[in-house]
Amino acid sequence: MSSLYNTSVLQLSGYDLPQEGVFPAFLFATLNYMIILFCNLTIIFTIVLNKSLHQPMHLFLVNLPINDLIGSSALFPHLIKEILTNSRRIQFSACIIQAFFIHIYAAGSVFILTAMAYDRYIAICYPLRYNTVMTNAHIMKIIILVWSSCVVLIAVLFILLLRLYRCRSEITHSYCDNPSLLTLVCEDTTINNIYGLFISAFTQVIANGLVFYTYLRILIACFRSRQSDTKAKALQTCATHLFVFLLFECLGLFTIISYRLQNISPHLRRFMGVSTLIFPPTLNPIIYGLKTKEIHEKVLNFFKNKLILSE
């Protein structure tokens, strides 16, 4: 039994592909990851390299594709390798790293979208004070707070996990995360469960509370505005942010709840868990690239210039 405690290789039983499904799965995963890399890196470089986009909204926005790259890169390289080799094995250290960054991605998505909602709230509800409030120093404080909160909350989660002995080596999920790793433990996990629920409740209550409060105030301000152009632009921007937020929240909440309900199909649980790491990173840059006029124009101009130079 003591040798099991010290095993450095874990078994992943979440992958169960028939032979004829290997190539389509490999093709889908590879193309999806390439699209995620291309679209998110395009948004990042477009904002970073254009000084005209160094505005508060875009400085908050650039953190979203960075976070999406963290989440997708924690999943896809190992997923593609697993599809090709079908080894169903992962080193414990690699599993911990994957789980850590997946949880960073999850927490980061919530906090970044909350910060973006706060920025839109100030811009629309207090437009005359916007430049005074949203200074570069204030923006940096918020961004540092977002990332440091994610790192501290998730680091504590994994410190609590790593103190426990393992007596199992099989993970029934498609990737490593804290709930899956806890199933390998045969000690009392009460503290871990309480802290995990605390993080989930804290992030959901704070994020959902702030987001819904800010968008409620924004809607009220928009309907009171007499300028139809301003109202339409504000509603379009907020609708984009709200759609992205609700998409992630619905996928994330179902994944969290599915771990607490034993009668849910494991295949559905795996699909929803992977969807959280596939759909938001794929759709976010496309949505913001199409809906954010300034970014849309800069991206189009860049590719037009490249085409002209290549002719």
Side-chain angles (χ1 to χ4, degrees), residues 219-256:
L219 285 174
I220 294 171
C222 286
F223 285 118
R224 286 178 177 174
S225 175
R226 296 179 181 178
Q227 298 177 341
S228 58
D229 292 342
T230 303
K231 183 191 297 186
K233 184 178 180 181
L235 288 174
Q236 183 184 28
T237 303
C238 293
T240 302
H241 291 177
L242 198 57
F243 173 78
V244 171
F245 181 79
L246 290 175
L247 172 67
F248 181 81
E249 281 295 303
C250 291
L251 292 172
L253 280 174
F254 183 88
T255 304
I256 293 171

Side-chain angles (χ1 to χ4, degrees), residues 6-290:
N6 299 319
T7 182
S8 60
V9 179
L10 304 178
Q11 299 290 327
L12 286 169
S13 60
Y15 301 100
D16 189 18
L17 289 173
Q19 189 62 36
E20 61 274 13
V22 171
F23 180 73
F26 168 75
L27 191 64
F28 171 78
T30 304
L31 288 176
N32 199 168
Y33 188 44
M34 290 174 66
I35 290 169
I36 289 172
L37 288 175
F38 175 76
C39 293
N40 283 286
L41 287 172
T42 299
I43 297 293
I44 292 170
F45 285 119
T46 300
I47 294 174
V48 171
L49 297 177
N50 289 276
K51 291 185 178 180
S52 61
L53 295 179
H54 293 180
Q55 304 297 321
M57 182 180 77
H58 301 119
L59 292 177
F60 285 123
L61 174 58
V62 77
N63 288 272
L64 196 60
I66 292 172
N67 188 62
D68 287 341
L69 287 176
I70 289 173
S72 57
S73 296
L75 172 70
F76 276 99
H78 182 267
L79 176 64
I80 293 168
K81 171 181 169 292
E82 187 58 39
I83 291 171
L84 286 175
T85 62
N86 196 30
S87 66
R88 299 189 181 186
R89 292 187 174 191
I90 185 171
Q91 292 290 326
F92 179 71
S93 56
C95 188
I96 290 294
I97 292 171
Q98 182 186 58
F100 179 80
F101 283 109
I102 284 175
H103 282 273
I104 288 286
Y105 158 77
S109 296
V110 173
F111 288 143
I112 291 167
L113 290 169
T114 304
M116 291 170 66
Y118 167 73
D119 170 70
R120 291 299 84 201
Y121 165 69
I122 301 296
I124 295 168
C125 296
Y126 303 98
L128 298 178
R129 296 174 54 192
Y130 182 71
N131 291 329
T132 304
V133 174
M134 301 303 290
T135 61
N136 288 336
H138 187 57
I139 293 165
M140 288 307 300
K141 286 178 183 177
I142 294 173
I143 293 172
I144 291 170
L145 178 63
V146 164
W147 286 109
S148 60
S149 298
C150 293
V151 172
V152 170
L153 288 172
I154 303 306
V156 173
L157 183 71
F158 280 87
I159 288 170
L160 290 174
L161 171 68
L162 292 172
R163 69 190 174 88
L164 301 173
Y165 286 109
R166 307 185 313 279
C167 60
R168 301 183 186 93
S169 61
E170 184 177 0
I171 291 179
T172 57
H173 205 33
S174 303
Y175 56 81
C176 299
D177 59 5
N178 181 64
S180 299
L181 287 165
L182 280 178
T183 62
L184 308 180
V185 174
C186 291
E187 289 189 82
D188 183 17
T189 59
T190 302
I191 294 175
N192 300 68
N193 292 331
I194 291 173
Y195 183 74
L197 288 172
F198 164 74
I199 290 179
S200 300
F202 175 77
T203 55
Q204 295 305 315
V205 169
I206 295 295
N208 289 331
L210 285 174
V211 167
F212 287 119
Y213 171 77
T214 54
Y215 283 121
L216 179 62
R217 291 292 302 273
I218 287 169
L219 285 174
I220 294 171
C222 286
F223 285 118
R224 286 178 177 174
S225 175
R226 296 179 181 178
Q227 298 177 341
S228 58
D229 292 342
T230 303
K231 183 191 297 186
K233 184 178 180 181
L235 288 174
Q236 183 184 28
T237 303
C238 293
T240 302
H241 291 177
L242 198 57
F243 173 78
V244 171
F245 181 79
L246 290 175
L247 172 67
F248 181 81
E249 281 295 303
C250 291
L251 292 172
L253 280 174
F254 183 88
T255 304
I256 293 171
I257 294 170
S258 68
Y259 279 110
R260 308 294 171 184
L261 302 176
Q262 299 300 322
N263 57 349
I264 288 181
S265 166
H267 298 291
L268 180 61
R269 183 185 296 122
R270 290 168 193 155
F271 173 76
M272 295 303 294
V274 171
S275 296
T276 309
L277 291 157
I278 293 178
F279 293 119
T282 305
L283 294 175
N284 287 349
I286 296 172
I287 291 170
Y288 283 108
L290 292 175

